[in-house]
């Protein structure tokens, strides 16, 4: 059995996962991210111990613990950066291994989610695949030849920071035009706000948020677009345009067998998927040749825990 | 011994190459691209036979013939597209193999050049590397784990068609903003023309082309930039900005060990390289972490023949 931990800015989720990737039992606790790393690491330790005990396992029966983090770790499991948690050079794997005596593996949360989709989701059996997690930002996970690919220095698969155009606001990373400033939930909210400010006829969406743009969210915008609201449709169209453009760039570079869309924005489901596929087909480079399949991710929120657990298996 | 053939729109170059990648003997003939494929294939056959005879080899001593084409071939060596030659579905490998009785391998010319740099150039021994050939267009070749990488459907490594911004003219491929419309020799010529048209003080560059923009070429623009000409410097700055942006995108996705710049534009040498490295360092995503080395390609025009020959070795 494996344990997977999804260390997020808000919650820490952990689960017992078998070698097929089935999530057997899980629980979660609040991260309280402002505390110092040591306290959070102790909470992870206790959460894992509780989980093992409550599921009725012995510690020896856990082959490995994997942890997905919203940041970057090196091969030894040191967390190099974790912006949301304010971590820098935290020896997470060594600390936990010392306290638990179980091998610890750490990787980026988007990479881990891609691994989950590869082990038991929509990328199962694929030679190569890319998962785009369309959330408040855009994360990317790349699988090549059945293995997680993070590049020579471990700084690859940051697909959200591929520049694809010029935008009306800069990315958190300091550059302009990153994919995540066009096609994340934050991006579609900011663009819809801009449209609402600039337009006279504010339509359905303005009523639904009670004239308060603080109430805007991606789901609401997609719902209004489906109902024919013009501003919402314009915002969705722009998100789709740049997402398709990013996907075509990925095809032109890596040509993966599968491209999967996950994260909150992908909850718009088939409506979003059909628009993206149509746009990609219209604009792909080799129009007469086959390209990878574009699909919705399958595992949803559980991908973080399952994929983290699968790090141990890899 | 191996034979490498570089099938270009203007010339067909072929050479005898040993297993270390040393080019022992070569000759070339004009392509006369407007002829039908059969005539061109017969010329390739005769060129290869002449080469073998003149170098004093027996046909049995040639282990394989590799051919780099300005287009796309499938795994069986059928040329799917070759726009410059007007070829579509030409069974190049089968035809030549039937006539010569030697195994034939075919791949894209930019991919083949990357292979040459990997086998005996600046990417030798690297785990991963990307070669950008900055010519009239921009070609790309990717090496991963010591092997040519062309993707699941063979349509990858088309790096020149990665969209990186909005441009004042569309790409040949029908889209707007492809890297090759910013950073190829064609791109810098078109942008310089535009600047000359729009500016009152046309400076050094205008004198050097005798007021005739037909005389513009990338070398001249770089030479004038080095001498301080304002318009030329502005054009180089823009080429560098988008080239760096494309390189950062590649790092954010693939994070290769080496990125090599080849093709005519890279003849600007250290002047161009220093500007690109400075720009990439300033704008890279993880500022404190190491990234791949950016270098000039080493093999120049010979990369095509050497890399094609190395296809047989792979």
């Amino acid at each position: 059995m494996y344990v997977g931990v999804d260390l997020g800015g808000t919650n820490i989720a952990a689960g017992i996962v078998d070698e097929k990737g089935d999530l057997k039992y899980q629980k979660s606790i609040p991260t309280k991210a402002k505390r110092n790393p040591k306290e959070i690491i102790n909470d992870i330790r206790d959460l894992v111990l509780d989980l093992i005990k409550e599921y009725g396992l012995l510690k020896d029966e856990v082959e490995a613990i994997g942890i997905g983090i919203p940041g970057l770790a090196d091969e030894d499991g040191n967390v190099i950066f974790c912006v949301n948690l304010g971590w820098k050079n935290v020896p997470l794997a060594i600390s936990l291994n010392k306290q638990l005596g179980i091998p610890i593996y750490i990787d980026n949360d988007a990479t881990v989610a891609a691994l989950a989709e590869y082990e038991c989701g929509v990328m199962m059996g694929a030679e190569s695949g890319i998962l785009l997690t369309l959330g408040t930002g855009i994360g990317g996970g790349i699988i090549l030849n059945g293995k997680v690919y993070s590049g020579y220095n471990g700084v690859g698969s940051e697909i959200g920071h591929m520049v694809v155009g010029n935008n009306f606001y800069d990315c958190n990373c300091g550059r302009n035009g990153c994919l995540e400033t066009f096609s994340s939930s934050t991006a579609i909210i900011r663009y819809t706000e801009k449209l609402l400010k600039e337009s006279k006829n504010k339509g359905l969406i303005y009523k639904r948020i009670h004239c308060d743009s603080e109430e805007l969210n991606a789901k609401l915008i997609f719902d209004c677009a489906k109902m024919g609201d013009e501003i919402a449709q314009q915002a969705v169209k722009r998100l789709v345009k740049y997402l398709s453009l990013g996907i075509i760039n990925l095809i032109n570079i890596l040509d993966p067998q599968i491209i999967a869309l996950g994260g909150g924005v992908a909850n718009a489901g088939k409506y979003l998927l059909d628009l993206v596929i149509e746009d990609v087909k219209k604009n792909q480079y080799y129009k007469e040749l086959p390209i990878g399949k574009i699909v919705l991710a399958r595992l949803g929120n559980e991908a973080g825990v399952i994929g983290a657990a699968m790090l141990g298996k890899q």
Side-chain angles (χ1 to χ4, degrees), chain A:
Chain A
M1 286 294 195
Y2 300 89
V3 169
V5 178
D6 183 4
L7 173 55
T10 312
N11 289 305
I12 306 169
I16 306 279
V17 180
D18 70 12
E19 61 180 6
K20 283 184 197 149
D22 280 338
L23 180 58
K24 295 297 186 182
Y25 180 66
Q26 71 170 321
K27 58 191 299 182
S28 75
I29 54 172
T31 311
K32 299 178 203 155
K34 284 181 184 167
R35 296 179 296 163
N36 75 51
K38 209 176 160 187
E39 289 177 66
I40 295 175
I41 293 172
N42 286 344
D43 274 5
I44 296 175
R45 176 201 59 201
D46 294 343
L47 177 65
V48 169
L49 288 174
D50 285 354
L51 201 71
I52 294 173
K53 196 174 154 196
E54 288 170 22
Y55 189 66
L57 283 179
L58 296 170
K59 234 167 68 174
D60 292 352
E61 292 174 291
V62 176
E63 294 191 50
I65 299 169
I67 306 175
I69 59 162
L72 204 70
D74 66 19
E75 282 182 5
D76 300 323
N78 296 305
V79 176
I80 304 172
F81 291 113
C82 215
V83 178
N84 289 344
L85 302 176
W87 289 15
K88 212 169 166 181
N89 297 319
V90 174
L92 177 58
I94 293 175
S95 305
L96 274 178
N97 177 264
K98 214 182 273 174
Q99 299 186 59
L100 291 169
I102 302 173
I104 312 282
Y105 299 94
I106 299 177
D107 213 323
N108 173 266
D109 52 7
T111 296
V112 150
L115 181 58
E117 294 291 346
Y118 171 71
E119 287 286 346
C120 52
V122 287
M123 306 205 289
M124 213 159 86
E127 189 185 278
S128 54
I130 298 179
L131 172 69
L132 294 174
T133 49
L134 312 167
T136 53
I138 293 184
I142 301 176
I143 302 288
L144 287 182
N145 296 317
K147 281 191 178 159
V148 160
Y149 183 89
S150 300
Y152 183 72
N153 301 287
V155 301
S157 91
E158 288 290 355
I159 292 166
H161 295 282
M162 161 170 56
V163 168
V164 292
N166 308 331
N167 208 347
F168 67 93
Y169 72 97
D170 284 343
C171 184
N172 289 335
C173 79
R175 296 203 299 165
N176 185 278
C178 291
L179 181 59
E180 74 173 35
T181 66
F182 291 105
S183 303
S184 63
S185 60
T186 314
I188 196 170
I189 291 168
R190 288 190 73 156
Y191 187 66
T192 305
E193 275 177 338
K194 183 168 147 43
L195 290 178
L196 285 173
K197 253 186 217 156
E198 290 167 0
S199 65
K200 280 178 198 162
N201 179 9
K202 296 180 198 293
L204 174 65
I205 200 162
Y206 205 56
K207 282 179 211 146
R208 292 282 294 273
I209 59 170
H210 314 103
C211 315
D212 176 9
S213 68
E214 291 282 313
E215 287 198 27
L216 272 176
N217 62 64
K219 185 180 180 313
L220 182 91
I221 299 167
F222 273 99
D223 286 347
C224 290
K226 287 176 194 172
M227 286 187 281
D229 181 67
E230 235 174 77
I231 285 183
Q233 285 186 339
Q234 211 177 321
V236 167
K237 197 175 167 189
R238 184 172 190 260
L239 179 147
V240 166
K241 174 187 164 185
Y242 285 97
L243 180 56
S244 307
L245 207 153
I247 289 173
I248 296 172
N249 280 358
L250 291 172
I251 292 169
N252 286 349
I253 298 167
L254 272 176
D255 175 24
Q257 188 177 354
I258 294 184
I259 293 175
L261 307 179
V265 171
N267 289 337
K270 200 172 170 306
Y271 177 73
L272 171 68
L273 185 68
D274 288 348
L275 290 172
V276 169
I277 290 174
E278 190 191 334
D279 209 334
V280 169
K281 291 239 149 110
K282 208 165 64 193
N283 293 300
Q284 71 181 84
Y285 182 58
Y286 289 115
K287 291 213 168 32
E288 298 159 60
L289 294 182
I291 54 169
K293 241 178 148 174
I294 303 168
V295 297
L296 295 170
R298 188 190 298 157
L299 299 173
N301 290 335
E302 292 180 354
V305 169
I306 295 172
M310 293 296 98
L311 281 177
K313 194 181 151 193
Q314 278 234 326

